Amino acid sequence: LVTWTIIAILLLTGSILPSQVPSNPIGQNPYSLKWNQINTDKVQVIFPEGLEERGLRVAQWAHFFWENPDSTIGSINEKVTILVNNQPVAGNGFVTVGPYRSELFPTPRQFWASHYFLDNLTIHEYRHIQQFNNSARGITKTVKKVLGSWAWGGMLSMALPRWYLEGDAVIAETEYTSGGRGRWSPFLMEYQSLAVADRKYGFEKAAAGSLKDFVPSWYHLGYQMLTVGRDEFGDDIWAKVSDDAVRFKGILFPFSGNLKKRTGWNAKRLYIKAIDRIQNQWSQSETSGLSDRAQKINIHPKKTVEHYNNPHFTGDSTWVAVFNSYERLSTMVQIDQKGEVEVLFEPGVLLQSTTGSISVAGNKVAWTAYSQDPRWQNKTYSDIFIYHLGNRERYQLTHEGRYFSPEISPDGQTIAAIRVEENLSYSVVILDLESGDIKNEIDLKGYREGQFPTWDDAGNIILVGTNDDANQLVRIGPVGDTLEELMSPVAAMISHPVYHDNKVYFSWGPSAPNNIYVLDITSGHIVQITYSAVGAFQPDVSADGRSLVYSEFTADGYDLRRLDLSDSKYYIPIDKVESVSGEHRKEIVGEAPFASVGDSFAVTRFNKWSGILNPHSLLAEVNHPIASLRVLSDNKFGTMSGEAGVFYNYNEKEWSYGANLTYAELYPVINAGFVYANRSAGFVNYGPLTDTTFFRRISIREWSENRFGLGASVPLEWIKGNLIQSFQARAQYRFIDVNVDPDFDPVTAAFTDTIPYEDNRLEVASVFTQPISSGSFHSIDLGLSYQLVKRRARLHVRPKLGAGFGMRYRASLGDKGLGGDVFSAGVNFFLPGIARNHSVRLSANFQKERRLDNYRFSDLFVYPRGYDLSLRRDEFHTWRVEYMLPLFYPDMAIGPLAFVKRIKANAFFDHGVFKLTEDVLPKVSSTMRSVGFELNIDFRAFRLVEMDLGLRYSYLLDDRFTTNSRRHVFDFFVVSITQ
């Protein structure tokens, strides 16, 4: 019985837990895009016109993995849809189960290894596909069949920890390419930084992360732990353990439990072994200890994890840099030799905040910031911005561009930047620094990709060119007429070159750790000039050539260091270059996989309407005041979403049933739906009794109704700097058919008052109404909302600045014999609190609904906290004041059950006023007030999900609306559950 009870809990929980992506947004791509596909018996790859080569490569990889089973993951294959999307400028990808598909964003990052970005991306995400395919076993398979995709993803999330999923995918990159992250010095340095700082966090903290200390991500943790597991117990150990886990052989902590059954080690012991290995390897590595000769610039103690990046000289002893921390968004700062920091401005959303690049020359700063199309949110941009250090003015140089790594010319007149077209072709673009006009566009002469351009004294462009799985420094003539290779190709990351006096200083990781090297262009010799114990990046040289500044990674974030370049006795020539070696390497790398599957597949036009209806999941959800159980349908292309389900309204305490379809490929989002609802609401109506008296009847009426609806909305969202704006306008038409219980006796089932007429007979007669009765009518539902909010740093409990408003009008049309209307509006403000991570929230809401109406629209009003009722009054006014702040960051493990990261407090005062303004009796006004506090806990539960749970205490100040005069009310609530 206990086992089956636990299984039932897993089935229910599995239906509400998210997989990799906990939502399925639709209508993200422009309607004008034309899409093609490669559709075989093993994979469907969908891509825009012009990306045929990329689509082919993805299909080849999918066939290769299908036809070459890997004992490290399992042999179950299932055909999947992979969407290759060239609209986003930020390279990334995901696999989701709602519906089951993968999406790749193949625009390469500037800070990347030498290997083909799309290959790494495809291998990593296809490994997730294999993980999902091979999870359909035992109980997980049963849940998938019964409850569908989201439940399947939820069960997988409970069986397989995130560090396993991501670490396994990183190992796959490292096995099948020469440039996977397991071969990156910048990837390996994160745990090395903890070893250097002699920090050994417990397993629960390493797996859950922290809000106060730097903890490497799941990718890094999983790579290290899975590597040790393979070395100790064989390459197939994780296929066996994951097979046991998804079958839930052992209900609680199935992954760690089955690991121990097979190896004698649980996850905690495996982690300790991995950390000991890193510590031992680091203690035995050859380090010169010469990093101490570089002077640290940011000398003030760090309050939390803080990063200083991209330093540039603005004088002999002043620098401009990018600063961000767990408490602050990216900020441009100026630092002097005493370590004093002056905040200049916030540059907006930086695509790679700690590994990107800025440029400083001619008293100006250039950088690129991210933005998106208001309607088509997959269509994103990277534009160049300029800041003048003299007059402190800022302006946007380009609009709706795809520019990266801008570099101002020495004369301050032009700027060079990498441009990546939507077909993923690369070029160097020279723009006028004032107007943004393109003066020249330089082809990369056969290089597949280019990164980090810089200028030499003659106006040539030096950059990192990538081709054939190798990087090298190259110099291109000012009009693209010449190309010179400055060094031999290397299979390692090269970044941030800077030219000075016929030398190129650059960051390089031919071995761990990454350091700064200098190339003498005349002789071709390369020497190492920094000896960072963890990693050195982003060099810049002073105008006189005597000093170098760079950023260095530490366990507390990046620091800035200054080096005297005259100290040449520490320079070490590079005679032999060997790439960082990962722990795993397959024999098949590079182009070899494609030889076994052929050179091409048929490319056909993709029909956007194929599979438009695609039911995939049964989902349970609570979104107060509505709880629901729904069957969800989404097409894999992301244009049509539908649902059918049962709903419960806590305010009205009634059930309803309905279905809805939403089509989102057009500029307005179109929806249509049907609802059968059981309804309940309070009514007041007046009527004549005799010549001298009339009655007032107060009743709770129940009825059912059928609602047919058709509507449209326009959802928009902008990103400008650190401000996010959203706007939505919507209109809905409904035909409502009302069916009232014919057995209802209004006399026995209601409270009735007999009231004598006074001299106001005509006034009284004007409010006589009939009770709700069977019939039908037409209605409209109009809505408008707008929000402007500032992005949050990691430790911000709520937005520090923001404002928003919304309004909604629901009304019957035509004959008022049956009908009503409701108007509601609300405003919301976020303001800074006393300390940096505190937040004040002010909100006010208004609703007007004629109490004498004989039809009630659904009650969705949010009442003061602690009161459990649904009121019907002519006017509602409420306002709230809240103050939220973090109390503690305990980083405390409660065994494997929970890892507590943060405890927050929120004090509140809610004030409500409810008025009767249309009545023959004296007008009344009532208050409904409460005061109290909430304690919220941010924690990782059962090593599976991030939860924000709250306990609320409300003290009710007004007796009239309390239940049994109960003034002290405690509520438990869930703010969020994510993976």
Side-chain angles (χ1 to χ4, degrees):
L1 178 61
V2 173
T3 300
W4 282 106
T5 300
I6 295 174
I7 291 174
I9 294 172
L10 287 174
L11 290 174
L12 178 61
T13 308
S15 70
I16 63 174
L17 290 180
S19 68
Q20 277 194 291
V21 180
S23 62
N24 184 39
I26 62 173
Q28 304 292 293
N29 297 307
Y31 175 77
S32 58
L33 278 180
K34 306 299 181 183
W35 297 82
N36 290 333
Q37 67 172 346
I38 294 172
N39 195 3
T40 74
D41 59 336
K42 298 176 176 62
V43 70
Q44 179 188 33
V45 184
I46 304 170
F47 46 87
E49 283 185 344
L51 291 191
E52 284 73 20
E53 178 186 345
R54 271 74 175 182
L56 171 63
R57 199 168 183 95
V58 172
Q60 289 171 325
W61 272 116
H63 274 251
F64 169 76
F65 285 121
W66 189 298
E67 295 169 1
N68 293 272
D70 189 338
S71 63
T72 67
I73 187 62
S75 59
I76 297 177
N77 289 308
E78 179 181 338
K79 182 177 178 179
V80 70
T81 296
I82 302 176
L83 185 67
V84 182
N85 196 329
N86 64 348
Q87 298 297 292
V89 296
N92 210 334
F94 65 83
V95 176
T96 184
V97 293
Y100 186 35
R101 74 192 194 284
S102 176
E103 191 158 357
L104 308 180
F105 308 137
T107 302
R109 303 168 184 172
Q110 286 286 284
F111 190 78
W112 188 251
S114 57
H115 196 70
Y116 195 6
F117 179 78
L118 181 60
D119 282 359
N120 267 65
L121 188 62
T122 304
I123 294 167
H124 185 101
E125 299 305 332
Y126 201 86
R127 188 65 166 197
H128 289 316
I129 291 171
Q130 292 177 305
Q131 292 164 354
F132 276 102
N133 288 343
N134 285 278
S135 72
R137 305 171 191 264
I139 293 176
T140 302
K141 183 177 181 179
T142 301
V143 170
K144 179 184 177 183
K145 289 182 176 180
V146 175
L147 298 178
S149 292
W150 278 126
W152 170 34
M155 295 296 288
L156 180 142
S157 298
M158 291 188 291
L160 305 179
R162 189 70 180 268
W163 57 262
Y164 163 76
L165 298 173
E166 299 298 355
D168 182 52
V170 172
I171 287 180
E173 297 173 23
T174 311
E175 286 184 320
Y176 289 101
T177 75
S178 61
R181 276 174 280 189
R183 306 182 199 288
W184 287 21
S185 173
F187 180 83
L188 300 173
M189 74 180 182
E190 296 202 356
Y191 269 105
Q192 292 169 353
S193 74
L194 298 182
V196 169
D198 195 26
R199 295 182 188 175
K200 289 186 177 181
Y201 299 131
F203 171 66
E204 302 300 338
K205 183 168 181 173
S210 172
L211 291 173
K212 68 176 182 179
D213 296 315
F214 169 74
V215 175
S217 73
W218 291 311
Y219 298 77
H220 303 80
L221 174 66
Y223 179 79
Q224 300 291 349
M225 290 181 63
L226 269 58
T227 294
V228 170
R230 286 191 178 197
D231 291 346
E232 295 287 338
F233 306 108
D235 284 353
D236 62 349
I237 182 59
W238 298 116
K240 296 175 181 177
V241 172
S242 61
D243 184 291
D244 293 340
V246 297
R247 295 179 188 275
F248 284 86
K249 294 181 178 180
I251 299 299
L252 295 177
F253 311 108
F255 191 86
S256 183
N258 285 289
L259 173 63
K260 187 171 184 179
K261 287 181 182 178
R262 287 193 174 269
T263 67
W265 293 9
N266 59 16
K268 183 176 180 179
R269 183 177 177 185
L270 179 66
Y271 167 74
I272 293 172
K273 182 72 173 181
I275 295 303
D276 287 344
R277 173 186 285 196
I278 294 171
Q279 294 275 356
N280 293 334
Q281 288 175 342
W282 195 251
S283 64
Q284 298 170 8
S285 65
E286 295 182 3
T287 57
S288 64
L290 298 178
S291 61
D292 289 341
R293 68 194 181 95
Q295 175 190 2
K296 185 179 176 181
I297 295 174
N298 54 296
I299 59 176
H300 294 299
K302 295 182 176 181
K303 298 178 181 179
T304 180
V305 177
E306 297 179 350
H307 299 296
Y308 292 87
N309 294 97
N310 265 299
H312 288 268
F313 283 92
T314 56
D316 291 338
S317 300
T318 57
W319 302 269
V320 165
V322 178
F323 170 78
N324 69 77
S325 75
Y326 284 6
E327 292 188 329
R328 291 197 71 150
L329 300 171
S330 293
T331 305
M332 210 74 74
V333 298
Q334 188 161 290
I335 308 175
D336 64 20
Q337 60 183 346
K338 296 180 180 180
E340 299 301 323
V341 178
E342 177 189 2
V343 174
L344 299 177
F345 63 94
E346 292 182 344
V349 183
L350 305 179
L351 285 176
Q352 294 176 278
S353 60
T354 59
T355 58
S357 67
I358 66 171
S359 175
V360 179
N363 213 30
K364 294 178 180 177
V365 182
W367 73 98
T368 57
Y370 172 92
S371 64
Q372 68 183 33
D373 183 273
R375 174 63 180 88
W376 314 112
Q377 293 180 20
N378 270 339
K379 190 172 183 60
T380 58
Y381 309 103
S382 179
D383 282 303
I384 301 173
F385 290 78
I386 306 295
Y387 179 82
H388 198 289
L389 291 169
N391 58 26
R392 303 296 176 96
E393 292 183 354
R394 173 171 46 175
Y395 62 93
Q396 184 172 347
L397 188 67
T398 67
H399 298 269
E400 298 186 356
R402 297 168 64 93
Y403 297 99
F404 305 89
S405 302
E407 184 73 11
I408 302 173
S409 62
D411 62 9
Q413 300 301 308
T414 57
I415 191 167
I418 297 295
R419 183 165 71 178
V420 183
E421 304 289 355
E422 288 188 353
N423 65 3
L424 304 185
S425 64
Y426 273 69
S427 63
V428 178
V429 178
I430 312 300
L431 304 101
D432 183 88
L433 196 58
E434 296 298 329
S435 66
D437 294 338
I438 296 177
K439 302 182 69 174
N440 194 18
E441 186 170 1
I442 302 173
D443 181 74
L444 291 186
K445 301 291 185 181
Y447 284 92
R448 186 183 67 240
E449 297 164 11
Q451 296 88 27
F452 302 111
T454 189
W455 300 83
D456 70 7
D457 292 335
N460 300 301
I461 303 296
I462 296 172
L463 54 81
V464 179
T466 302
N467 218 2
D468 299 326
D469 297 336
N471 284 327
Q472 64 184 137
L473 289 171
V474 298
R475 178 160 58 183
I476 301 177
V479 294
D481 53 338
T482 62
L483 185 143
E484 177 186 3
E485 296 180 354
L486 301 181
M487 64 181 292
S488 301
V490 293
M493 180 186 292
I494 297 174
S495 69
H496 301 93
V498 58
Y499 173 89
H500 188 275
D501 194 22
N502 213 38
K503 295 181 177 66
V504 182
Y505 300 79
F506 59 98
S507 175
W508 188 19
S511 60
N514 205 92
N515 264 291
I516 307 301
Y517 297 78
V518 59
L519 164 69
D520 187 304
I521 295 178
T522 302
S523 66
H525 293 158
I526 300 175
V527 297
Q528 180 179 346
I529 61 173
T530 68
Y531 301 90
S532 171
V534 178
F537 305 88
Q538 300 164 329
D540 191 43
V541 182
S542 61
D544 60 11
R546 299 178 60 181
S547 296
L548 177 83
V549 65
Y550 60 94
S551 63
E552 180 182 55
F553 190 75
T554 76
D556 293 314
Y558 284 90
D559 289 331
L560 300 185
R561 289 190 172 271
R562 182 182 186 181
L563 182 67
D564 183 359
L565 291 176
S566 65
D567 208 359
S568 60
K569 65 180 180 180
Y570 295 113
Y571 292 3
I572 298 179
I574 303 301
D575 298 323
K576 184 179 180 181
V577 176
E578 295 181 357
S579 297
V580 176
S581 177
E583 297 288 340
H584 307 281
R585 182 67 176 268
K586 294 286 187 186
E587 294 297 325
I588 303 173
V589 297
E591 300 296 328
F594 309 114
S596 64
V597 297
D599 294 330
S600 65
F601 296 102
V603 176
T604 60
R605 175 69 67 188
F606 172 68
N607 178 8
K608 297 179 182 181
W609 290 92
S610 61
I612 197 72
L613 294 178
N614 180 39
H616 58 78
S617 300
L618 183 65
L619 182 69
E621 188 177 32
V622 176
N623 187 13
H624 192 78
I626 303 296
S628 63
L629 180 65
R630 298 171 291 155
V631 175
L632 305 182
S633 172
D634 295 274
N635 68 324
K636 297 177 181 180
F637 191 63
T639 55
M640 176 77 86
S641 181
E643 64 179 31
V646 55
F647 307 85
Y648 182 75
N649 186 315
Y650 284 98
N651 281 351
E652 298 186 1
K653 298 178 175 56
E654 292 287 356
W655 294 90
S656 62
Y657 314 88
N660 185 72
L661 280 176
T662 301
Y663 178 65
E665 193 178 14
L666 303 176
Y667 201 84
V669 177
I670 308 299
N671 68 82
F674 165 76
V675 174
Y676 171 81
N678 291 307
R679 300 290 314 283
S680 174
F683 290 87
V684 176
N685 69 286
Y686 291 91
L689 278 179
T690 67
D691 291 340
T692 60
T693 61
F694 65 96
F695 68 84
R696 180 184 64 170
R697 183 170 296 136
I698 302 174
S699 60
I700 302 296
R701 303 298 304 269
E702 296 181 349
W703 73 98
S704 66
E705 62 187 39
N706 297 299
R707 299 196 297 262
F708 302 86
L710 179 65
S713 63
V714 178
L716 303 176
E717 183 175 284
W718 299 266
I719 295 177
K720 186 173 183 179
N722 285 323
L723 297 178
I724 301 174
Q725 301 179 71
S726 60
F727 171 84
Q728 185 176 61
R730 63 180 185 83
Q732 187 90 18
Y733 160 79
R734 291 188 179 95
F735 174 77
I736 301 176
D737 182 52
V738 176
N739 298 285
V740 177
D741 183 359
D743 296 327
F744 177 80
D745 184 348
V747 176
T748 61
F751 171 79
T752 303
D753 249 347
T754 300
I755 305 170
Y757 284 114
E758 296 181 358
D759 295 333
N760 56 346
R761 181 184 297 269
L762 292 178
E763 180 182 346
V764 171
S766 68
V767 298
F768 287 172
T769 56
Q770 294 296 319
I772 185 172
S773 59
S774 298
S776 61
F777 63 95
H778 305 273
S779 76
I780 56 170
D781 186 348
L782 307 177
L784 192 69
S785 64
Y786 171 81
Q787 179 173 274
L788 174 67
V789 66
K790 188 173 183 179
R791 293 170 55 232
R792 295 161 59 181
R794 186 170 183 171
L795 294 185
H796 293 172
V797 292
R798 279 178 176 162
K800 293 179 67 65
L801 284 173
F805 77 88
M807 59 181 64
R808 185 177 184 184
Y809 180 61
R810 294 173 287 170
S812 57
L813 302 175
D815 183 11
K816 293 294 184 178
L818 178 64
D821 65 274
V822 182
F823 174 78
S824 57
V827 295
N828 205 33
F829 297 96
F830 292 101
L831 300 171
I834 297 173
R836 184 177 298 279
N837 297 320
H838 296 194
S839 176
V840 177
R841 182 181 180 183
L842 307 175
S843 59
N845 292 279
F846 168 79
Q847 179 166 296
K848 184 173 180 59
E849 177 185 31
R850 189 169 182 263
R851 193 171 71 125
L852 300 180
D853 286 343
N854 62 2
Y855 176 80
R856 293 283 182 255
F857 289 94
S858 297
D859 184 7
L860 303 176
F861 194 72
V862 179
Y863 296 94
R865 277 164 278 203
Y867 296 92
D868 181 22
L869 74 168
S870 176
L871 288 177
R872 296 294 181 174
R873 297 292 189 269
D874 293 323
E875 289 186 13
F876 300 168
H877 305 260
T878 62
W879 53 267
R880 296 182 170 195
V881 180
E882 303 177 42
Y883 192 98
M884 178 172 274
L885 72 159
L887 296 179
F888 311 106
Y889 297 92
D891 277 4
M892 178 182 67
I894 305 175
L897 300 178
F899 183 79
V900 181
K901 300 181 182 182
R902 178 169 61 184
I903 298 175
K904 300 171 291 187
N906 183 43
F908 67 85
F909 174 62
D910 293 357
H911 187 283
V913 177
F914 305 96
K915 297 180 178 180
L916 295 178
T917 60
E918 297 187 24
D919 208 314
V920 298
L921 298 180
K923 311 301 186 289
V924 296
S925 177
S926 304
T927 59
M928 178 188 288
R929 300 166 299 163
S930 63
V931 63
F933 63 87
E934 299 167 342
L935 284 179
N936 291 66
I937 302 178
D938 292 317
F939 66 101
R940 190 157 184 86
F942 303 105
R943 299 175 178 170
L944 298 172
V945 291
E946 299 291 328
M947 302 188 74
D948 184 353
L949 301 184
L951 176 65
R952 178 189 298 130
Y953 166 70
S954 304
Y955 180 73
L956 311 187
L957 299 174
D958 295 288
D959 280 330
R960 181 177 179 186
F961 300 111
T962 61
T963 302
N964 299 323
S965 299
R966 184 168 60 102
R967 287 183 175 271
H968 304 278
V969 178
F970 292 89
D971 294 303
F972 173 78
F973 60 96
V974 179
V975 178
S976 64
I977 301 177
T978 61
Q979 192 181 6

